[in-house]
Amino acid sequence: MNYTPIQLKLPVDMERIIEINDSVYTFNEVVSHIDLKKYFVEKGYKATGRPRYEREKLLKVLLFAFMEQGYPSLREIEKLCKVDIRFIWLRDEMKAPSYATLCDFINQELSYSLDEIVQEINNYIFDREHVDIDHVYIDGTKIEANANKYSWVWKKSCITSVFKEFEKITKIFQEANETVLQYLGLKLGVREEYTVEYLAEMLEEFLKVTGMNQDEFVHGSGRRKTSVQRLYERIDHSRKKLKEYREKVDICGDKRNSYSKTDHDATFMREKKDYMGNDQLLPAYNVQMGICDGYIAVYGVYQYASDSDCFQPLIEEFKRRYHKYPKYPVADAGYGNLNNYLYCQEHGMGKYMKFPMYEKETKDKKYRDDPYRAVNFRVNEAGRMVCPNGKEFLFLRTEPVKGNQYGRTVELHQCEDCSGCPHRSKCHKSRFDRIIRLNYELTSFHKEVLDNLNSIHGALLRMNRSIQSKKCRRKTNFLRLWLVYTFLREKLSTALMGKKKQALSSWGKSLRFAFGVI
């Protein structure tokens, strides 16, 4: 007789077991307002075979598992469906799915990315909570990629090596023309720059004229190579090196200066916490988020080391999702540059991003009122700037602003005579007459930013940003799930994988505070 003194007793209503403030209720209430059927692949009905799982319930189980566990495996989700009372309540008498069922569902049943599902959930929450999307508080952090720390490739180094290779090729061509090819009616064309295709063409001509065949080439110790084979191999080696350098530069692209050999998407950058203690650049990703009323409204994972380069793509992503630009994008000094100020002016946004010297301008009176700063020089009747010694600055030339995408230029003015000036040691340390660079447009932007941020409205925005962007975990939403799951499913990057599983899991745990439920 099978008998045990311990018997399972459950009330008829499972909701008596689950605490009233559990996040599963909020989760279910929100997801129930979303039409999940349109995200599934249309399949014909089969009269035979076992009854299929309810796809809406499977999707709910997956979403809630990632919200609660951060980065669970499919086997862990299978176990949760069998033993966790909240998952049993969610699947509502549906048979507990196996890990294989969940895998097939993710790969074959979903017709859209979770990106769209989560965005629809987010829009519902924003409408219900009346979230103000005119004010966006922007901040970001750098997260180390799961890549080798010493696998860097530098674009500038590759470009330098390319020009050195050009010089080697020129010497090889000259040597070949003067020795082997002098009496064969062929002359290799010497250029300042060479392409891989041109070298391949020259190698074919070289073999044709010399009558050599690659099958006749000898290799190994004790076998003497001919002068023709040596020249051919040297040219071919240069061709392979040029091809390698070109591929590396193409991987870097226009806006990156490095990448990792073990993760081509990762860029070497400085992180906030230097655990190696030697100020070393590490392969990482720049994760940016825009916060609205405590909710993560938009996020982006970028390859740019500078926060200022991430500002415009993040705002464009915001525009794509909410069909409007925010009126007040608030950010710290890492985002304030000429490009971003012009971008805000072009799209009717207020300039509430600090510039790099904002703290000194507002708190350091000695720096702000320094009489030797160019912005503090007086202007005479002729419209020329005058230094404290009474010398005029004469227009020298204009130069394009480095990295400016709007074609802006900067003016260079030079002092008429700095010789014998009693203020020279305090004014500048150059041996020549002082040259100042003036960008009147950027100076006016800085003044506008100072007026905006020092107003009552600006002070409240600065204070609110420090609360919302740094402590948004108190009231977050599904976009954290979005960030985690998109990394894994669509393989946007290899960040937070492997040894970074612990960090990824901590992000998932923060989703317990979803929809403001503490």
Side-chain angles (χ1 to χ4, degrees), residues 300-352:
V301 182
Y302 304 104
Q303 300 171 321
Y304 312 135
S306 173
D307 288 340
S308 60
D309 293 333
C310 303
F311 178 79
Q312 294 185 28
L314 186 70
I315 296 298
E316 286 298 325
E317 179 67 15
F318 184 93
K319 168 68 165 53
R320 187 184 72 83
R321 298 187 182 283
Y322 303 103
H323 311 292
K324 61 178 292 187
Y325 290 100
K327 291 184 179 179
Y328 305 99
V330 187
D332 60 18
Y335 301 84
N337 63 9
L338 182 57
N339 275 335
N340 292 339
Y341 291 143
L342 290 169
Y343 175 79
C344 289
Q345 181 171 292
E346 180 183 6
H347 296 95
M349 293 182 285
K351 303 174 187 68
Y352 288 85

Side-chain angles (χ1 to χ4, degrees), residues 145-157:
N146 183 26
N148 194 306
K149 300 178 181 63
Y150 304 101
S151 59
W152 52 70
V153 175
W154 305 105
K155 183 167 70 173
K156 289 185 179 180
S157 177

Side-chain angles (χ1 to χ4, degrees), residues 127-389:
D127 291 339
R128 177 176 176 176
E129 297 291 328
H130 304 289
V131 175
D132 178 18
I133 59 175
D134 287 334
H135 294 77
V136 179
Y137 305 94
I138 301 171
D139 200 6
T141 187
K142 296 178 177 65
I143 300 177
E144 185 182 353
N146 183 26
N148 194 306
K149 300 178 181 63
Y150 304 101
S151 59
W152 52 70
V153 175
W154 305 105
K155 183 167 70 173
K156 289 185 179 180
S157 177
C158 291
I159 295 174
T160 302
S161 299
V162 166
F163 286 101
K164 290 182 179 179
E165 202 64 40
F166 288 162
E167 296 177 1
K168 294 180 183 179
I169 296 172
T170 299
K171 292 180 181 179
I172 297 172
F173 278 15
Q174 290 174 349
E175 180 182 346
N177 291 335
E178 294 172 0
T179 57
V180 177
L181 302 177
Q182 186 176 4
Y183 307 104
L184 296 178
L186 175 66
K187 186 176 181 180
L188 299 177
V190 176
R191 301 179 176 182
E192 293 184 359
E193 298 181 1
Y194 302 90
T195 63
V196 177
E197 293 76 15
Y198 177 73
L199 293 181
E201 183 181 347
M202 289 298 100
L203 285 172
E204 290 181 6
E205 292 293 331
F206 186 81
L207 286 177
K208 186 184 300 184
V209 171
T210 57
M212 293 288 293
N213 191 338
Q214 286 183 284
D215 297 335
E216 300 175 1
F217 288 172
V218 297
H219 303 280
S221 60
R223 308 187 72 180
R224 186 177 297 275
K225 296 181 181 180
T226 63
S227 58
V228 175
Q229 180 179 347
R230 291 196 190 96
L231 286 172
Y232 180 90
E233 290 181 348
R234 289 168 64 187
I235 298 173
D236 190 49
H237 175 74
S238 296
R239 181 189 64 83
K240 293 177 180 178
K241 296 299 292 184
L242 283 183
K243 183 179 180 181
E244 176 187 342
Y245 295 141
R246 186 171 69 177
E247 290 175 352
K248 290 179 178 180
V249 172
D250 290 341
I251 292 174
C252 283
D254 296 331
K255 294 189 177 181
R256 287 204 297 168
N257 58 1
S258 65
Y259 73 91
S260 170
K261 292 179 182 177
T262 54
D263 183 2
H264 291 178
D265 293 331
T267 305
F268 279 82
M269 57 186 77
R270 285 184 175 85
E271 298 187 22
K272 294 180 179 179
K273 292 184 179 181
D274 182 20
Y275 64 88
M276 298 192 72
N278 55 3
D279 197 31
Q280 178 175 307
L281 299 177
L282 297 172
Y285 293 89
N286 199 340
V287 180
Q288 298 288 323
M289 293 187 183
I291 315 300
C292 295
D293 286 351
Y295 290 93
I296 301 175
V298 64
Y299 88 97
V301 182
Y302 304 104
Q303 300 171 321
Y304 312 135
S306 173
D307 288 340
S308 60
D309 293 333
C310 303
F311 178 79
Q312 294 185 28
L314 186 70
I315 296 298
E316 286 298 325
E317 179 67 15
F318 184 93
K319 168 68 165 53
R320 187 184 72 83
R321 298 187 182 283
Y322 303 103
H323 311 292
K324 61 178 292 187
Y325 290 100
K327 291 184 179 179
Y328 305 99
V330 187
D332 60 18
Y335 301 84
N337 63 9
L338 182 57
N339 275 335
N340 292 339
Y341 291 143
L342 290 169
Y343 175 79
C344 289
Q345 181 171 292
E346 180 183 6
H347 296 95
M349 293 182 285
K351 303 174 187 68
Y352 288 85
M353 302 92 68
K354 298 178 182 178
F355 49 89
M357 301 303 290
Y358 173 81
E359 294 297 327
K360 273 186 167 293
E361 285 279 3
T362 55
K363 298 180 180 179
D364 191 341
K365 184 178 180 181
K366 182 179 179 181
Y367 170 82
R368 183 175 63 248
D369 301 334
D370 185 3
Y372 302 106
R373 288 182 62 202
V375 294
N376 293 330
F377 287 174
R378 67 180 182 88
V379 181
N380 60 13
E381 296 80 3
R384 294 176 178 173
M385 303 184 72
V386 180
C387 72
N389 193 35

